[in-house]
Amino acid sequence: MKPVFLTAFAVVLSACSGPPLIEVGPSPSDASSSVKPLRYAPVTAGTVDYRPVDPKPWIERNERVAPKTGGE
């Protein structure tokens, strides 16, 4: 019976206390806190242009990948 009484007493006491104050970094309500300067970053930074282009000459491309004939 004693552990039940102690548990109930601890629950009642914990309900009377406020939540713990948890802060990381400067307080947002502090007007004197420093703020990092903003940096402009365009939305399209780092994108690749995939517009259609004219095809390269097929003869040169075909000769580049064709098996070599001759002395080898």
Side-chain angles (χ1 to χ4, degrees):
M1 186 81 161
K2 200 169 195 179
V4 173
F5 176 72
L6 289 176
T7 304
F9 186 68
V11 169
V12 169
L13 281 181
S14 66
C16 294
S17 66
L21 185 60
I22 300 173
E23 289 188 28
V24 176
S27 174
S29 62
D30 185 14
S32 65
S33 64
S34 63
V35 178
K36 290 183 182 178
L38 296 177
R39 183 178 60 89
Y40 174 74
V43 175
T44 57
T47 59
V48 179
D49 188 19
Y50 288 109
R51 290 186 202 156
V53 294
D54 293 331
K56 294 185 179 180
W58 66 272
I59 294 174
E60 293 173 11
R61 294 180 63 91
N62 198 14
E63 287 176 355
R64 208 173 345 150
V65 297
K68 306 287 185 218
T69 58
E72 291 185 357

